């Protein structure tokens, strides 16, 4: 369905239109929210859509503009959540939650955690703005213009941040590779 028709139907309160907008954009919003460090990813994602759907009557633009609007709202909601979390006393999760998840092998779980920790470690070496540009551009697949709109920065600034972030990631990955022993190193050591 064409986005403008979908938007029209959603403004009329058609449930199928809301469901289609959710279907098209929820994955991107959730990935962005998760990458920004939200703890309650599903809750924040839902809040984003409630806010966006509440303002559909005022929205003017195409689907790319709608995606940028969603990510702008998501960015604000993550900041709100992080502020709330900073005021809360940490609570240990209940062990039964582990049982409710999809069962994976120990090897899959270890590899998934190692990959996520590895990526997070490299991203932590970036400045907050660089990390946000990488998240918006690579994880949510936004254009330079959309990223600039979400961040409230000029396109040239976003390009510069992206270039510096990718250079920093390249150096970080190279440093990690240089620190790993090669098979020859391990055989040569008595």
């Amino acid at each position: 369905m064409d986005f403008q028709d979908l938007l029209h139907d959603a403004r009329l309160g058609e449930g199928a239109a809301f469901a289609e907008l959710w279907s098209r954009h929820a994955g991107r919003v959730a990935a962005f929210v998760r990458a920004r460090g939200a703890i309650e990813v599903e809750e924040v994602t839902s809040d984003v859509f409630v806010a966006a759907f509440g303002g559909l009557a005022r929205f003017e633009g195409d689907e790319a503009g709608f995606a940028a609007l969603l990510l702008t709202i998501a960015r604000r909601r993550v900041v709100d959540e992080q502020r709330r979390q900073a005021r809360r006393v940490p609570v240990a999760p209940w062990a039964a939650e582990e049982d409710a998840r999809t069962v994976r092998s120990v090897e899959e779980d270890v590899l998934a955690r190692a990959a996520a920790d590895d990526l997070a470690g490299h991203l932590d070496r970036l400045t907050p703005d660089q990390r946000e540009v990488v998240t918006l551009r690579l994880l949510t697949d936004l254009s330079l213009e959309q990223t600039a709109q979400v961040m409230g920065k000029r396109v040239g600034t976003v390009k510069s941040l992206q270039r510096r972030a990718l250079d920093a990631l390249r150096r970080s990955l190279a440093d990690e590779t240089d620190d790993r022993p090669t098979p020859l190193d391990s055989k040569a050591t008595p």
Side-chain angles (χ1 to χ4, degrees), residues 1-7 9 16-17 20 24 63:
M1 177 181 258
D2 176 64
F3 178 73
Q4 291 304 321
D5 293 336
L6 192 59
L7 185 59
D9 290 352
E20 179 64 21
R24 289 184 184 187
E63 191 157 11

Side-chain angles (χ1 to χ4, degrees), residues 119-134:
L119 176 60
H122 290 291
L123 289 175
D124 283 344
R125 296 176 186 165
L126 302 176
T127 67
D129 281 345
Q130 289 173 343
R131 189 170 36 252
E132 186 165 17
V133 166
V134 168

